[in-house]
Amino acid sequence: MARVTVEDCIDKVENRFDLVLLASHRARMISSGSQITIERDNDKNPVVALREIAGKELKADELREEYIKSLQRHAEVDEPETTQPTEETATEDMLHRQLTEEELLRALTSEAQRRAEPQPEDTTDYEE
């Protein structure tokens, strides 16, 4: 029975930390039912994962991408953008938009100036 050491895998995956992450991810995949690409030889899942990496049965880049995808919680979906925003969507966008401090101060200042301006009085004569 051939033993797998880190030196057998280090030329496939340069960083030992990455090797541990990828091998443990592959071992979890095997535990969850993924097909193995080599003979098991009565080895446990981590050893099988290391043997697959050492034997170039799995490409490290592909395994790294699978690992990253397994950690993602939010899948980005490209949605087509609307060409003309409606008034309703423009209002919703404004509610969810983060204002910078400068924009907020400018808005508050203009609102204060608008309130400070004298309001025209209604000069129509009412008949009694």
Side-chain angles (χ1 to χ4, degrees):
M1 176 170 109
R3 294 286 176 189
V4 177
T5 61
V6 173
E7 286 76 22
D8 297 331
C9 301
I10 204 68
D11 58 338
K12 284 45 165 205
V13 180
E14 306 83 34
N15 188 337
R16 291 174 188 248
F17 181 74
D18 286 341
L19 176 63
V20 170
L21 286 176
L22 297 178
S24 64
H25 174 66
R26 177 62 183 154
R28 279 188 235 106
M29 288 173 58
I30 294 169
S31 294
S32 66
S34 180
Q35 295 292 323
I36 58 174
T37 59
I38 60 171
E39 291 185 30
R40 183 174 282 277
D41 289 337
N42 210 17
D43 290 329
K44 294 183 179 179
N45 292 339
V47 176
V48 171
L50 285 171
R51 287 180 54 210
E52 285 179 336
I53 293 170
K56 293 186 181 179
E57 302 295 326
L58 298 173
K59 294 183 180 178
D61 293 334
E62 292 174 4
L63 196 56
R64 186 174 290 118
E65 287 298 318
E66 288 179 17
Y67 179 63
I68 291 170
K69 286 180 184 177
S70 73
L71 295 176
Q72 289 179 339
R73 299 286 181 240
H74 175 72
E76 294 183 17
V77 178
D78 291 334
E79 296 178 4
E81 295 182 18
T82 58
T83 56
Q84 298 257 339
T86 63
E87 183 177 327
E88 182 179 315
T89 58
T91 305
E92 288 178 15
D93 288 344
M94 288 300 290
L95 289 175
H96 295 291
R97 197 182 112 189
Q98 295 283 334
L99 294 177
T100 64
E101 185 176 348
E102 183 178 314
E103 290 172 329
L104 182 60
L105 287 173
R106 192 177 315 127
L108 289 173
T109 305
S110 65
E111 178 67 22
Q113 288 175 349
R114 187 182 63 79
R115 288 186 180 183
E117 293 176 0
Q119 299 294 326
E121 293 182 22
D122 191 10
T123 57
T124 59
D125 292 329
Y126 294 105
E127 293 181 30
E128 294 184 18

